[in-house]
Every structure is written in structure tokens, then in C-alpha cells.
């Protein structure tokens, strides 16, 4: 429900492509062996895990299936303990990454040595939910991750290639298994899509835009090909929607997104066709001025057509969205800096009017000076109505959460959507448009 929306970042790891095959460490025994010059990658924590869990694939070859599975269970328990314990954040990230790699290595050994043991699918499902990062150096990777700087973190192409070769075989086995329901197969592929999107924010990993979008498209279409029920496309669509969460995260232009979306106008699934129509309508705001008008909570009639000649930030939010409210001081700072240079903000709240007092408290706390228009109807019943104004807007452009932030140029056309508007420094974007 929109009422409880909070911006969510997918915390997933990624199936990788584009490795340098000449430097791979995918050995004949199936195990991943780190660069001998990279001591961090070989680090094993001092824990009471069974010895085999810390010595690579070869150790598991002498274990029974139950003993090998116990190794995996012990690693899984260690990961859980790290997650639950209150330890220094960088160390927590570092330690989890080390155990994720152990879990990958030991699980592939289990898969190879006990191919008829159905527990291998449970391992594949669990592995797919972990947050493997493919950092070239775990220590520095953990530090960079803690700072939120993902764009240029060095990645381990040896590990990536090892992952690609082995997990392709795992995927094929999962998809061909008669014991796994269609929905579960679709969920497996959906997690792979999440993984690809997550790591693709790293420019070192992602080779070029065309390859990236083709890879995302193939994974998306693989999910759709399995789903028989149109209603079950929603999770896959929400994941692909990450491309629209922050365009800047993937260095995609509006035209890049158009090329990606257009083919789905003819998809067999009605929900996918509707999604494509919505996204193209959003992208068309680059060429056609956005139309919006309403009454502010202070009785001012707001019409975007009257803002021509000014740069305008349109901010959709609600009172339950903590990230929306947390972003307002940044917007306030930009507004104070540029309001005398032709910059305006129009705040569009999607709650019903019965929440007006809460909206006013937020307005007073942030000390906003720009208009706030509430489009959620008079009460909760109107808010739920299919004819509610907020629903019409969200349905037109395919918005599924708040915040949604659009920066319009002096002609009222969209120039930036989400991305740096939701996080980071907005000054450069605003200053650039004001000069035009």
C-alpha cells in the first residue's frame, strides 16, 4: 500500500558477466582459488566450524552427504550469528562476505559430489538470497560499502567467472527439475535479476549500457516465460522498476530506457504491457510539459503552467515515508539557495485531508516555504477509491512507491527523475537548468 511506502534498496548479490577468461581461477577441481597476492580473499575466520567448511571443495569430497550438508548448515549459522551480533559495521560486512564465499564454494562441492541429493536446491535458494559482492579486496570493499560508494569498487573477475560458469549449470538444473514448482523457479530467476541490477551499479563490473540492458532483458524475459498467471508478474516488474528508481545509478539516458521498454508493449502478459505503457508515458514528459494543478493546503491554486520560465522540483510523498521526510531538509537548503534565481518546489502529498494536521507539523518542522498540495481525497475511504486523484497520477506513470521526484526545466519538461534528487547533491542539477 502506498500509505506505508518507504523507499527500499534491494540488498542482493549479482550473477556476473564479462569476465577476463585469461586470468580466471575456475580450477579443474571446481573450486575458486583467490589471487595468492590478495591475502584478504583467502582469509578464513577463526570459528568452531568443522575443518572442511574452511578448506575448500576438496575437503568435502571425503565427507558423506550428511556431513557435507552439516558444513553448509554451520556456515549458514555463522552468517546468521554475524548478522545478529552487535559488532563493528565494517567488520560485520567483511565477515559476512568471507562466509558467503565459503558457502558458495562448499555448496558447489555438495552439488557436484551428491547430484541426487535434493538438498542441493535448498542450498541454491539460500545462496541466491545472500549478498555476495565480488570485491577484489574484501577489506577495502567493506570500507567502501560502508561509505555507500559502489560505483567504482574494484571487482574480482576471477570470482565472477567462477560464479558464471558454475551457477549457469545450477540454474539449468533448477529450471529442468520436475520437483520444483513454476513459482519457485520464477522466484529463483527473480533473485538473479535482483542480483544483476545490484552489482550493475558498479561501473567496473558493467562493461557497457547495451550489454547491461540486454542482460537485464534476458533475465526479465526468462521470468515471464515461466509465469502462467499474469498477476504474478508484479514482483518481476517491481525489480525492473529499479531502473527508474535512480536513473543516475545506472548511467542510463531516457532514450536508453525507451529502447528497453518499447518491446514489452507487445508482451503476452497484460500487466507487462500496461507497465510498458506507463513507463513510456513517464519518459514522454521529457518532450511534453507535465500538466498538474490543485489547491495547496494554504488555499493557493497551483498550476504548473504558471511556473513556465522557472525550474521546478515536483516532490510526491506521504507522511509515512521516512525517507521522503528525511530528504526535505536537503530540498529546503537548495530552495533557500536558488529561490531568488528562478527555482521553485511543489510538494504533492498523497495522503487524505484527514492527515492535514500531521502534514502541517512536518511543514512547520522543515520550515517549508513552498506550496503543498494534498491529492489523497477527503478521508481514507476516498483515498482507497479507484477514482482518487493520486491513483490517477500513479496509474498514468506507473509510480509504485514514494518518494517520486521530478525536476522540470523552464519549459515544464522533465530533465531529471529520481536519481540524485532522492539522494546526493541536487545543486549541480538545479544550477545547470537555471543557466539554460
Amino acid at each position: 500500500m502506498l500509505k506505508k511506502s518507504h523507499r527500499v534498496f534491494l540488498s542482493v548479490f549479482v550473477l556476473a558477466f564479462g569476465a577476463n577468461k585469461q586470468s580466471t581461477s575456475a580450477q579443474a577441481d571446481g573450486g575458486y582459488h583467490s589471487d595468492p597476492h590478495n591475502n584478504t580473499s583467502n582469509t578464513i575466520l577463526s570459528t568452531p566450524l568443522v575443518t572442511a567448511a574452511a578448506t575448500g571443495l576438496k575437503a568435502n569430497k571425503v565427507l558423506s552427504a550428511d556431513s557435507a550438508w552439516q558444513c553448509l548448515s554451520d556456515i549458514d549459522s555463522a552468517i546468521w550469528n554475524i548478522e545478529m551480533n552487535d559488532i563493528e559495521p565494517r567488520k560485520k560486512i567483511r565477515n559476512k562476505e568471507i562466509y558467503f564465499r565459503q558457502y558458495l564454494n562448499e555448496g558447489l562441492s555438495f552439488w557436484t559430489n551428491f547430484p541426487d541429493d535434493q538438498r542441493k536446491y535448498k542450498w541454491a535458494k539460500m545462496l541466491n538470497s545472500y549478498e555476495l559482492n565480488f570485491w577484489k579486496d574484501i577489506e577495502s570493499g567493506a570500507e567502501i560499502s560502508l561509505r555507500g560508494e559502489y560505483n567504482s569498487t574494484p571487482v574480482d573477475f576471477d570470482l565472477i567467472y567462477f560464479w558464471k560458469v558454475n551457477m549457469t549449470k545450477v540454474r539449468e538444473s533448477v529450471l529442468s527439475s520436475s520437483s520444483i514448482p513454476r513459482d519457485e523457479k520464477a522466484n529463483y530467476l527473480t533473485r538473479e535479476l535482483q542480483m544483476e541490477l545490484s552489482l550493475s551499479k558498479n561501473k567496473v563490473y558493467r562493461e557497457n549500457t547495451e550489454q547491461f540492458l540486454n542482460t537485464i532483458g534476458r533475465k526479465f524475459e526468462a521470468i515471464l516465460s515461466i509465469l502462467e498467471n499474469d498477476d504474478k508478474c508484479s514482483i518481476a516488474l517491481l525489480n525492473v522498476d529499479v531502473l527508474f528508481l535512480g536513473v543516475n545509478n545506472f548511467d542510463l539516458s531516457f532514450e536508453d530506457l525507451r529502447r528497453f521498454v518499447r518491446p514489452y508493449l507487445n508482451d503476452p502478459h497484460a500487466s507487462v504491457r500496461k507497465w510498458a505503457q506507463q513507463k513510456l508515458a513517464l519518459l514522454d514528459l521529457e518532450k511534453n510539459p507535465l500538466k498538474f494543478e490543485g489547491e495547496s493546503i494554504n488555499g493557493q491554486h497551483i498550476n504548473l503552467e504558471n511556473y513556465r520560465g522557472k525550474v521546478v522540483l515536483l516532490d510526491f510523498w506521504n507522511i509515512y515515508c521516512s525517507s521522503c521526510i528525511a530528504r526535505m531538509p536537503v530540498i529546503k537548503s537548495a530552495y533557500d539557495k536558488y529561490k531568488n534565481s528562478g527555482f521553485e518546489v511543489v510538494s504533492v502529498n498523497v495522503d487524505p485531508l484527514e492527515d492535514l494536521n500531521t502534514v502541517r507539523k512536518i511543514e512547520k518542522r522543515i520550515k517549508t516555504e513552498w506550496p503543498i498540495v494534498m491529492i489523497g481525497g477527503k478521508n481514507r475511504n476516498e483515498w482507497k477509491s479507484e477514482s482518487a486523484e493520486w491513483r490517477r497520477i500513479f496509474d498514468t506513470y506507473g509510480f509504485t512507491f514514494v518518494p517520486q521526484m521530478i525536476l522540470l526545466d523552464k519549459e515544464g519538461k522533465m530533465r531529471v527523475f529520481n536519481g540524485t534528487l532522492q539522494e546526493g547533491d541536487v545543486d549541480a542539477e538545479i544550477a545547470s537548468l537555471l543557466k539554460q
Side-chain angles (χ1 to χ4, degrees):
M1 295 287 290
L2 176 69
K3 185 177 185 297
K4 297 182 180 180
S5 293
H6 292 263
R7 188 173 51 163
V8 178
F9 291 94
L10 298 176
S11 179
V12 290
F13 73 104
V14 186
L15 173 63
F17 291 85
N20 181 351
K21 297 185 180 181
Q22 293 180 347
S23 62
T24 60
S25 296
Q27 303 295 321
D29 64 6
Y32 167 70
H33 301 271
S34 301
D35 182 345
H37 300 292
N38 181 0
N39 294 326
T40 305
S41 296
N42 276 326
T43 302
I44 300 297
L45 299 182
S46 298
T47 66
L49 286 177
V50 290
T51 303
T55 56
L57 293 175
K58 292 182 179 180
N60 265 0
K61 293 181 180 179
V62 299
L63 299 177
S64 67
D66 287 344
S67 296
W69 184 255
Q70 186 60 49
C71 290
L72 287 167
S73 298
D74 287 342
I75 297 171
D76 186 48
S77 295
I79 294 171
W80 176 256
N81 288 334
I82 292 170
E83 187 65 49
M84 293 297 103
N85 289 339
D86 185 20
I87 62 175
E88 191 268 322
R90 184 198 59 80
K91 185 179 292 186
K92 176 177 286 192
I93 295 171
R94 165 195 178 272
N95 291 357
K96 286 198 298 181
E97 178 71 11
I98 291 171
Y99 275 119
F100 291 158
R101 297 187 186 197
Q102 289 182 17
Y103 197 71
L104 167 64
N105 224 28
E106 295 301 314
L108 287 173
S109 174
F110 185 90
W111 192 285
T112 300
N113 294 313
F114 310 106
D116 297 327
D117 194 314
Q118 295 301 296
R119 286 178 293 187
K120 66 182 185 180
Y121 294 121
K122 183 178 180 180
W123 163 79
K125 180 178 180 180
M126 183 61 70
L127 178 66
N128 227 355
S129 68
Y130 282 154
E131 198 173 332
L132 190 63
N133 290 286
F134 300 104
W135 293 318
K136 188 173 182 63
D137 180 87
I138 294 177
E139 295 286 356
S140 61
E143 182 65 34
I144 291 171
S145 175
L146 197 61
R147 297 198 304 264
E149 300 171 5
Y150 308 104
N151 286 347
S152 58
T153 312
V155 294
D156 186 342
F157 284 107
D158 289 349
L159 179 56
I160 286 174
Y161 184 67
F162 172 76
W163 168 264
K164 174 185 175 182
V165 170
N166 287 281
M167 295 311 291
T168 296
K169 298 174 183 177
V170 171
R171 186 194 315 110
E172 291 172 352
S173 180
V174 168
L175 297 181
S176 63
S177 173
S178 59
S179 64
I180 301 179
R182 279 179 175 266
D183 286 357
E184 192 168 328
K185 292 178 181 179
N187 289 339
Y188 181 88
L189 292 174
T190 299
R191 286 191 293 270
E192 279 199 347
L193 173 62
Q194 293 171 347
M195 291 151 42
E196 188 69 42
L197 287 164
S198 179
L199 191 58
S200 291
K201 293 179 183 180
N202 189 315
K203 297 175 183 178
V204 179
Y205 163 74
R206 191 181 72 239
E207 291 188 356
N208 59 66
T209 297
E210 183 177 1
Q211 180 193 25
F212 163 61
L213 291 178
N214 285 342
T215 299
I216 296 302
R218 287 196 303 270
K219 293 186 179 299
F220 183 41
E221 288 154 20
I223 300 168
L224 298 179
S225 68
I226 289 177
L227 295 174
E228 294 179 311
N229 188 336
D230 184 68
D231 294 336
K232 294 181 178 179
C233 295
S234 58
I235 295 179
L237 287 170
L238 282 173
N239 279 286
V240 174
D241 231 33
V242 170
L243 296 175
F244 293 84
L245 174 61
V247 173
N248 307 73
N249 287 340
F250 301 102
D251 290 326
L252 299 175
S253 68
F254 291 151
E255 188 54 38
D256 291 332
L257 291 170
R258 286 191 190 91
R259 287 198 304 270
F260 179 80
V261 168
R262 283 188 190 115
Y264 298 106
L265 289 171
N266 299 314
D267 192 86
H269 300 85
S271 59
V272 177
R273 295 195 299 272
K274 180 178 180 180
W275 171 83
Q277 292 168 354
Q278 291 170 328
K279 294 309 174 186
L280 288 175
L282 173 64
L283 294 168
D284 280 348
L285 294 179
E286 181 191 21
K287 302 175 181 178
N288 303 312
L290 175 62
K291 296 182 179 180
F292 174 80
E293 60 181 308
E295 200 79 10
S296 79
I297 60 175
N298 295 320
Q300 179 184 3
H301 181 70
I302 303 300
N303 187 334
L304 285 183
E305 290 186 359
N306 297 331
Y307 285 80
R308 296 292 186 268
K310 296 185 176 182
V311 173
V312 179
L313 175 62
L314 198 63
D315 178 23
F316 292 87
W317 65 287
N318 72 10
I319 61 174
Y320 301 93
C321 173
S322 57
S323 62
C324 299
I325 299 169
R327 190 61 174 162
M328 287 182 179
V330 178
I331 298 173
K332 166 69 172 171
S333 178
Y335 179 79
D336 289 343
K337 183 176 182 179
Y338 295 110
K339 63 182 179 181
N340 294 326
S341 301
F343 175 61
E344 298 286 350
V345 178
V346 175
S347 179
V348 184
N349 177 271
V350 297
D351 297 300
L353 283 172
E354 62 185 45
D355 291 326
L356 176 60
N357 287 339
T358 303
V359 171
R360 287 197 180 280
K361 288 179 182 179
I362 295 171
E363 177 189 36
K364 183 177 180 180
R365 185 168 80 244
I366 305 297
K367 298 179 180 178
T368 63
E369 300 176 32
W370 55 81
I372 300 176
V373 180
M374 297 184 70
I375 60 172
K378 295 180 180 178
N379 50 46
R380 201 66 56 198
N381 288 333
E382 281 195 20
W383 185 90
K384 295 177 181 179
S385 170
E386 291 297 323
S387 60
E389 177 66 7
W390 76 266
R391 285 188 182 274
R392 183 190 67 78
I393 294 175
F394 275 51
D395 189 61
T396 298
Y397 301 116
F399 297 162
T400 54
F401 55 84
V402 290
Q404 296 289 336
M405 307 179 79
I406 302 175
L407 188 63
L408 306 175
D409 64 15
K410 295 177 182 179
E411 296 180 353
K413 298 177 182 179
M414 180 174 70
R415 298 296 295 273
V416 183
F417 175 67
N418 289 331
T420 52
L421 300 178
Q422 291 187 343
E423 56 179 326
D425 184 8
V426 300
D427 281 19
E429 305 278 10
I430 296 170
S432 176
L433 291 181
L434 288 172
K435 291 177 182 178
Q436 297 177 13

